[in-house]
Amino acid sequence: MTWGLHTKDTSGMGRVLIVDDEEVVRKVLRATLTEAGYEVVEAEHGGKGIEKIGSDDNPLMVDVIICDIRMPKINGIEAISFFRQQYPSVPILVLTGFPDTKMATELMSKGVFDYLVKPMDEEKLLAAVKAAMAHRLALSDQN
Amino acid sequence: MPVEALPGTIRVLIIGGGKGGKALLELFACGQGVQVVGMADINPQAPGLALAQNLGIPTSHDALFLISQGGADLIVDVSGDQLVAPLIAKHKPASAEILGGTSALLVWKLAQHERDLRDQLIQAEKLASIGTLASGIAHEINNPLYGITGLSQRLEKETRPEIVKEYLHDIIEMSRRIATIVKDLNVYAHKNSAQALCDIDVNHIIEEAIKMARRACVLDEVKIQTEFSTLPRLQGNPDELLQVFVNLVTNAVQAMEGQGTLTVSTSSVNGSVRATVKDDGPGIPQHLLGKIFDPFFTTKEQGKGTGLGLHIVRDIVIRSGGRITVDSVPGKGAAFTLELPITSR
């Protein structure tokens, strides 16, 4: 696999893929993460997210994925399962409007790094991304 | 032709189609063990007569004619006319008993009380059903709410006028979205207006119900399609009818467990509006088909349903003079068909 770790290749804080069908949600995340020094890539549904990082010819390397659940076409559950299978070392943060403990437990058991419920403060979001990024680095150091 | 008695049922003939007769007819038609075999009233505009006709029960302006047809175990006289009682007594078959005077008034009072209780039950079920939609509603509100809080936090530090303007525009837009959701919910949750008969566009009611019931599904994998015909407007209670369709569509969406196609179709058939809610979920096992309209019968896990939804659907439909039937092939989904009379109940 040509998959590599973006964090080590650049001087930035790392690259985050945002998968969410709400334009305003992406706008908030983009502004917050860009200001904090992250590079941001966006997709408006699971299919686009897979498309953006899934091409073997030109793989887009990301360090953390922030993924919504309820989206048209390919939903979050399907996209997450793809990401976990193809890129197991990339931590996934679920960011959803569903305050659903059962779903959170299920997703965490499938390897999701954290389950975040909208709305949330940007400090909390940044802390979650930072923790996921650290996890990503720790995993890559092992390899 | 005398009506053959079903085993264990009391065949009742109601004399008087005013408020009392109609209340009794509603009670008997929704319950079990009583079969109304006819209703008579000298006034052709009596509200009970219209309901009886919609339910397929023989009616007449001539009480003695219906009595002469035989087939009643009990004749209930709620005509309020003192001259009627001796005539009934004179012409009734020997086997038929009479319930009249104060006794009939007492039964009417009980029927009215029962109706009040049913109205309360309908409201309670509606509020409980909103509980089952809670996580969908939370999702719909939390997304724009995140837009509002997130952009507001950005605005604290933002100095570029064009960006400030853009964020404020988004915030107003998101606030309006939340206001619409709250308004929809409020419209649904408010108490059903009693006896409010309006001209109803059933297609519009179904669209409103679909909007509400979409929240029962976490994922967007359920396709909801409508096949609407142009319909005559029907007279009925729009709040109750909305509750009927919210229940049916929510049930179907839940039955499909997040995947499948739900089709709601309407047509106009012989003075009735027919509406079918069809899903391609797992269907209803044959041995449960006879139970699904029973109160408190549910196959859903705890917290997902009260077991009152379909019972109340049937209750509302019958009280409107309509009919509801269900067809299901296990593995191939279920279809609920309603026939609602256009004329006032």
Side-chain angles (χ1 to χ4, degrees), chain B residues 6-30:
Chain B
L6 300 168
T9 31
I10 305 166
R11 294 166 301 175
V12 175
L13 176 62
I14 301 173
I15 310 299
K19 280 185 187 168
K22 182 170 172 254
L24 288 175
L25 179 56
E26 284 179 357
L27 174 65
F28 296 151
C30 291

mmCIF file of all heavy atoms in Angstrom, chain B residues 6-30:
data_model
loop_
_atom_site.group_PDB
_atom_site.id
_atom_site.type_symbol
_atom_site.label_atom_id
_atom_site.label_comp_id
_atom_site.label_asym_id
_atom_site.label_seq_id
_atom_site.Cartn_x
_atom_site.Cartn_y
_atom_site.Cartn_z
ATOM 1 N N LEU B 6 -72.917 -13.198 15.295
ATOM 2 C CA LEU B 6 -71.601 -13.831 15.427
ATOM 3 C C LEU B 6 -71.541 -14.418 16.826
ATOM 4 O O LEU B 6 -72.140 -13.868 17.749
ATOM 5 C CB LEU B 6 -70.500 -12.776 15.246
ATOM 6 C CG LEU B 6 -70.490 -12.051 13.900
ATOM 7 C CD1 LEU B 6 -69.570 -10.849 13.952
ATOM 8 C CD2 LEU B 6 -70.060 -13.012 12.800
ATOM 9 N N PRO B 7 -70.835 -15.525 17.007
ATOM 10 C CA PRO B 7 -70.821 -16.150 18.333
ATOM 11 C C PRO B 7 -70.329 -15.154 19.393
ATOM 12 O O PRO B 7 -69.335 -14.476 19.194
ATOM 13 C CB PRO B 7 -69.812 -17.301 18.169
ATOM 14 C CG PRO B 7 -69.645 -17.470 16.699
ATOM 15 C CD PRO B 7 -70.021 -16.200 16.033
ATOM 16 N N GLY B 8 -71.094 -15.061 20.456
ATOM 17 C CA GLY B 8 -70.663 -14.220 21.582
ATOM 18 C C GLY B 8 -70.888 -12.737 21.384
ATOM 19 O O GLY B 8 -70.441 -11.931 22.188
ATOM 20 N N THR B 9 -71.585 -12.352 20.325
ATOM 21 C CA THR B 9 -71.820 -10.914 20.130
ATOM 22 C C THR B 9 -73.265 -10.552 20.412
ATOM 23 O O THR B 9 -74.185 -11.367 20.200
ATOM 24 C CB THR B 9 -71.543 -10.468 18.678
ATOM 25 O OG1 THR B 9 -71.826 -11.519 17.808
ATOM 26 C CG2 THR B 9 -70.189 -9.950 18.447
ATOM 27 N N ILE B 10 -73.439 -9.312 20.854
ATOM 28 C CA ILE B 10 -74.791 -8.797 21.070
ATOM 29 C C ILE B 10 -75.138 -7.934 19.867
ATOM 30 O O ILE B 10 -74.371 -7.031 19.516
ATOM 31 C CB ILE B 10 -74.833 -7.934 22.345
ATOM 32 C CG1 ILE B 10 -74.315 -8.730 23.553
ATOM 33 C CG2 ILE B 10 -76.241 -7.412 22.610
ATOM 34 C CD1 ILE B 10 -74.010 -7.855 24.753
ATOM 35 N N ARG B 11 -76.257 -8.247 19.237
ATOM 36 C CA ARG B 11 -76.685 -7.440 18.072
ATOM 37 C C ARG B 11 -77.577 -6.307 18.556
ATOM 38 O O ARG B 11 -78.585 -6.543 19.223
ATOM 39 C CB ARG B 11 -77.424 -8.330 17.074
ATOM 40 C CG ARG B 11 -76.527 -9.387 16.447
ATOM 41 C CD ARG B 11 -77.337 -10.441 15.754
ATOM 42 N NE ARG B 11 -78.251 -11.116 16.681
ATOM 43 C CZ ARG B 11 -79.144 -12.023 16.318
ATOM 44 N NH1 ARG B 11 -79.266 -12.371 15.061
ATOM 45 N NH2 ARG B 11 -79.938 -12.577 17.215
ATOM 46 N N VAL B 12 -77.164 -5.098 18.236
ATOM 47 C CA VAL B 12 -77.844 -3.923 18.786
ATOM 48 C C VAL B 12 -78.454 -3.090 17.670
ATOM 49 O O VAL B 12 -77.806 -2.829 16.652
ATOM 50 C CB VAL B 12 -76.840 -3.063 19.591
ATOM 51 C CG1 VAL B 12 -77.497 -1.770 20.065
ATOM 52 C CG2 VAL B 12 -76.291 -3.829 20.781
ATOM 53 N N LEU B 13 -79.683 -2.673 17.895
ATOM 54 C CA LEU B 13 -80.334 -1.712 16.992
ATOM 55 C C LEU B 13 -80.463 -0.396 17.755
ATOM 56 O O LEU B 13 -80.960 -0.383 18.887
ATOM 57 C CB LEU B 13 -81.722 -2.251 16.607
ATOM 58 C CG LEU B 13 -82.605 -1.367 15.739
ATOM 59 C CD1 LEU B 13 -81.958 -1.096 14.375
ATOM 60 C CD2 LEU B 13 -83.977 -2.020 15.532
ATOM 61 N N ILE B 14 -79.969 0.671 17.146
ATOM 62 C CA ILE B 14 -80.002 1.960 17.845
ATOM 63 C C ILE B 14 -81.116 2.824 17.250
ATOM 64 O O ILE B 14 -81.136 3.073 16.040
ATOM 65 C CB ILE B 14 -78.639 2.690 17.725
ATOM 66 C CG1 ILE B 14 -77.515 1.819 18.314
ATOM 67 C CG2 ILE B 14 -78.684 4.038 18.433
ATOM 68 C CD1 ILE B 14 -76.111 2.377 18.100
ATOM 69 N N ILE B 15 -82.000 3.265 18.099
ATOM 70 C CA ILE B 15 -83.065 4.171 17.650
ATOM 71 C C ILE B 15 -82.688 5.568 18.139
ATOM 72 O O ILE B 15 -82.593 5.817 19.343
ATOM 73 C CB ILE B 15 -84.444 3.771 18.250
ATOM 74 C CG1 ILE B 15 -84.733 2.268 18.030
ATOM 75 C CG2 ILE B 15 -85.548 4.651 17.656
ATOM 76 C CD1 ILE B 15 -84.792 1.830 16.594
ATOM 77 N N GLY B 16 -82.418 6.440 17.186
ATOM 78 C CA GLY B 16 -81.961 7.803 17.519
ATOM 79 C C GLY B 16 -80.539 7.973 17.038
ATOM 80 O O GLY B 16 -79.639 7.259 17.491
ATOM 81 N N GLY B 17 -80.354 8.886 16.082
ATOM 82 C CA GLY B 17 -79.002 9.078 15.509
ATOM 83 C C GLY B 17 -78.409 10.423 15.889
ATOM 84 O O GLY B 17 -77.505 10.919 15.220
ATOM 85 N N GLY B 18 -78.919 10.993 16.973
ATOM 86 C CA GLY B 18 -78.359 12.268 17.448
ATOM 87 C C GLY B 18 -77.037 12.029 18.171
ATOM 88 O O GLY B 18 -76.358 11.022 17.932
ATOM 89 N N LYS B 19 -76.699 12.954 19.069
ATOM 90 C CA LYS B 19 -75.410 12.837 19.773
ATOM 91 C C LYS B 19 -75.291 11.521 20.536
ATOM 92 O O LYS B 19 -74.256 10.867 20.520
ATOM 93 C CB LYS B 19 -75.270 13.989 20.773
ATOM 94 C CG LYS B 19 -74.833 15.291 20.154
ATOM 95 C CD LYS B 19 -74.619 16.314 21.255
ATOM 96 C CE LYS B 19 -74.352 17.676 20.640
ATOM 97 N NZ LYS B 19 -74.422 18.746 21.631
ATOM 98 N N GLY B 20 -76.410 11.155 21.214
ATOM 99 C CA GLY B 20 -76.381 9.936 22.017
ATOM 100 C C GLY B 20 -76.165 8.701 21.160
ATOM 101 O O GLY B 20 -75.313 7.863 21.435
ATOM 102 N N GLY B 21 -76.946 8.614 20.070
ATOM 103 C CA GLY B 21 -76.851 7.458 19.186
ATOM 104 C C GLY B 21 -75.476 7.374 18.547
ATOM 105 O O GLY B 21 -74.889 6.294 18.424
ATOM 106 N N LYS B 22 -74.946 8.527 18.167
ATOM 107 C CA LYS B 22 -73.638 8.538 17.509
ATOM 108 C C LYS B 22 -72.533 8.106 18.495
ATOM 109 O O LYS B 22 -71.651 7.322 18.144
ATOM 110 C CB LYS B 22 -73.350 9.935 16.975
ATOM 111 C CG LYS B 22 -72.046 10.031 16.236
ATOM 112 C CD LYS B 22 -71.920 11.360 15.525
ATOM 113 C CE LYS B 22 -70.533 11.503 14.960
ATOM 114 N NZ LYS B 22 -69.713 12.430 15.687
ATOM 115 N N ALA B 23 -72.648 8.606 19.731
ATOM 116 C CA ALA B 23 -71.638 8.236 20.740
ATOM 117 C C ALA B 23 -71.663 6.730 20.979
ATOM 118 O O ALA B 23 -70.616 6.075 21.074
ATOM 119 C CB ALA B 23 -71.893 8.993 22.039
ATOM 120 N N LEU B 24 -72.878 6.170 21.041
ATOM 121 C CA LEU B 24 -72.984 4.719 21.256
ATOM 122 C C LEU B 24 -72.435 3.952 20.058
ATOM 123 O O LEU B 24 -71.730 2.954 20.209
ATOM 124 C CB LEU B 24 -74.439 4.321 21.493
ATOM 125 C CG LEU B 24 -75.036 4.738 22.837
ATOM 126 C CD1 LEU B 24 -76.511 4.383 22.882
ATOM 127 C CD2 LEU B 24 -74.298 4.045 23.979
ATOM 128 N N LEU B 25 -72.750 4.457 18.867
ATOM 129 C CA LEU B 25 -72.280 3.783 17.650
ATOM 130 C C LEU B 25 -70.745 3.775 17.602
ATOM 131 O O LEU B 25 -70.129 2.748 17.277
ATOM 132 C CB LEU B 25 -72.857 4.491 16.422
ATOM 133 C CG LEU B 25 -72.459 3.943 15.054
ATOM 134 C CD1 LEU B 25 -72.807 2.473 14.943
ATOM 135 C CD2 LEU B 25 -73.162 4.733 13.940
ATOM 136 N N GLU B 26 -70.127 4.912 17.936
ATOM 137 C CA GLU B 26 -68.656 4.984 17.947
ATOM 138 C C GLU B 26 -68.081 3.972 18.935
ATOM 139 O O GLU B 26 -67.121 3.272 18.647
ATOM 140 C CB GLU B 26 -68.191 6.386 18.348
ATOM 141 C CG GLU B 26 -68.336 7.404 17.238
ATOM 142 C CD GLU B 26 -67.893 8.794 17.681
ATOM 143 O OE1 GLU B 26 -67.538 8.973 18.861
ATOM 144 O OE2 GLU B 26 -67.918 9.692 16.826
ATOM 145 N N LEU B 27 -68.717 3.925 20.103
ATOM 146 C CA LEU B 27 -68.234 3.012 21.148
ATOM 147 C C LEU B 27 -68.341 1.562 20.688
ATOM 148 O O LEU B 27 -67.388 0.787 20.780
ATOM 149 C CB LEU B 27 -69.050 3.228 22.421
ATOM 150 C CG LEU B 27 -68.786 2.272 23.583
ATOM 151 C CD1 LEU B 27 -67.363 2.464 24.106
ATOM 152 C CD2 LEU B 27 -69.773 2.503 24.706
ATOM 153 N N PHE B 28 -69.515 1.216 20.146
ATOM 154 C CA PHE B 28 -69.734 -0.178 19.750
ATOM 155 C C PHE B 28 -68.873 -0.557 18.537
ATOM 156 O O PHE B 28 -68.373 -1.671 18.446
ATOM 157 C CB PHE B 28 -71.213 -0.425 19.436
ATOM 158 C CG PHE B 28 -72.134 -0.248 20.616
ATOM 159 C CD1 PHE B 28 -73.456 0.150 20.443
ATOM 160 C CD2 PHE B 28 -71.676 -0.488 21.908
ATOM 161 C CE1 PHE B 28 -74.304 0.303 21.527
ATOM 162 C CE2 PHE B 28 -72.522 -0.323 23.006
ATOM 163 C CZ PHE B 28 -73.835 0.078 22.813
ATOM 164 N N ALA B 29 -68.740 0.394 17.602
ATOM 165 C CA ALA B 29 -67.998 0.070 16.379
ATOM 166 C C ALA B 29 -66.521 -0.164 16.670
ATOM 167 O O ALA B 29 -65.863 -0.961 16.006
ATOM 168 C CB ALA B 29 -68.161 1.201 15.358
ATOM 169 N N CYS B 30 -65.968 0.561 17.660
ATOM 170 C CA CYS B 30 -64.545 0.409 17.970
ATOM 171 C C CYS B 30 -64.288 -0.788 18.873
ATOM 172 O O CYS B 30 -63.187 -1.313 18.917
ATOM 173 C CB CYS B 30 -64.004 1.666 18.662
ATOM 174 S SG CYS B 30 -63.946 3.073 17.566
#
